Amino acid sequence: MALTTAAAYGIYRQDVALTDIVRNLNQAGFDNEDICMMLSPTHPIASVVRDASLFSSDRENSVASAGMIGWLSAFGAVLIPSVGFFIRSRVFLHALMVARDAPALCGNARTLVGLGFSEDEAERFEAELAVLGVLVYVSCAESAKTMWAREVFRHTGALETNTLEETIAPVTAGAAA
């Protein structure tokens, strides 16, 4: 079961300042709970999460890790394949649990299918994310807001951005032909 077709996404390089993207989305009227991010396991944030430990003797690193994990936990969902995930939104939880026997929480192409992408697009994005680094996805209550989210992604330097509706439309049209 896909989340919605009222969504927009942007794909970024690993070196993008995610805090700037989130700030711009928030200023444009999008809540953190509507934002889902998928990060490459090689992303710098993935290293912080992977290395986080409650038993670290380095207090400064423990505080920084706790701060980062707190920040990630504020979003609807954050997925880092082979590292971990944070899900705050019940809507994202239901969407990301695509199939009980094959949960999407490991951050693979099934995760993206759960968000509403076609199988082909999900596989393409999974391959791109391994190289590029970050997919930011915003679920929108209204279809009109998806265009606004797409503009925010363009403004913040996304390498690729679109609305989910425009992404799946060619696939649906091709299937009908």
Side-chain angles (χ1 to χ4, degrees):
M1 179 181 154
L3 178 65
T4 180
T5 56
Y9 67 89
I11 297 178
Y12 297 86
R13 294 194 196 291
Q14 286 191 28
D15 61 354
V16 69
L18 286 173
T19 54
D20 290 346
I21 297 166
V22 170
R23 184 176 25 79
N24 278 282
L25 287 167
N26 293 157
Q27 288 174 345
F30 298 98
D31 294 328
N32 282 352
E33 195 164 312
D34 299 325
I35 300 171
C36 176
M37 290 187 264
M38 184 180 286
L39 309 174
S40 165
T42 61
H43 192 280
I45 290 176
S47 296
V48 172
V49 173
R50 187 181 303 108
D51 297 340
S53 171
L54 295 174
F55 305 109
S56 175
S57 60
D58 185 352
R59 183 170 169 83
E60 191 173 309
N61 280 345
S62 292
V63 170
S65 295
M68 177 62 69
I69 290 171
W71 184 73
L72 294 173
S73 298
F75 297 103
V78 176
L79 305 135
I80 308 170
S82 74
V83 175
F85 59 89
F86 304 88
I87 299 180
R88 177 179 176 207
S89 166
R90 217 176 262 202
V91 175
F92 280 118
L93 177 63
H94 292 300
L96 296 173
M97 293 298 291
V98 177
R100 291 202 182 270
D101 59 339
L105 296 178
C106 53
N108 59 21
R110 291 292 305 157
T111 302
L112 298 174
V113 170
L115 293 176
F117 292 99
S118 70
E119 292 276 345
D120 291 339
E121 287 295 301
E123 288 176 15
R124 179 176 73 86
F125 288 145
E126 180 181 17
E128 287 180 11
L129 285 175
V131 176
L132 294 174
V134 182
L135 179 135
V136 181
Y137 176 101
V138 177
S139 176
C140 304
E142 309 159 16
S143 291
K145 285 189 80 172
T146 61
M147 301 305 244
W148 183 236
R150 184 176 68 182
E151 289 308 310
V152 172
F153 290 138
R154 283 185 180 153
H155 174 74
T156 56
L159 300 171
E160 178 180 337
T161 183
N162 212 344
T163 65
L164 189 59
E165 181 180 56
E166 291 171 329
T167 301
I168 62 174
V171 174
T172 306

